[in-house]
Amino acid sequence: MSLADKLSAMRAASAARLPAEKQAIMERATEDQRRTGILDRIVPVGRRMPAFALADHSGRRVDSDDLLAGGPLVLSFFRGSW
């Protein structure tokens, strides 16, 4: 199964279990984000991410260059709950 097929199946399963009003909120929020032009500013797949610094779970500043010095870096973003 391709990634596109897996993502499609996940969307269908999510739509089947979420109440219509929550789906509408999520769709509206997604469309609001698209209208901001955010998709024109994302880093394309395969391109190196610009250097950045973020706070870790304890508030300590962590620089991406420092992390990359130890090897490959993987970032995960969690949207939280709606």
Side-chain angles (χ1 to χ4, degrees), residues 2 12 15-17 26 32-35 45 48 73 75 81:
S2 72
R17 75 173 182 274
M26 291 170 56
D32 288 347
Q33 287 295 311
R34 284 189 177 114
R35 277 196 298 274
V45 173
R48 187 177 178 121
L73 177 62
L75 291 178
S81 63

Side-chain angles (χ1 to χ4, degrees), residues 11-46:
R11 280 190 290 275
S14 178
R17 75 173 182 274
L18 288 175
E21 65 272 7
K22 287 197 177 191
Q23 287 181 43
I25 292 167
M26 291 170 56
E27 290 168 9
R28 192 169 46 250
T30 299
E31 189 54 38
D32 288 347
Q33 287 295 311
R34 284 189 177 114
R35 277 196 298 274
T36 69
I38 195 169
L39 294 175
D40 299 327
R41 299 187 307 269
I42 63 172
V43 177
V45 173

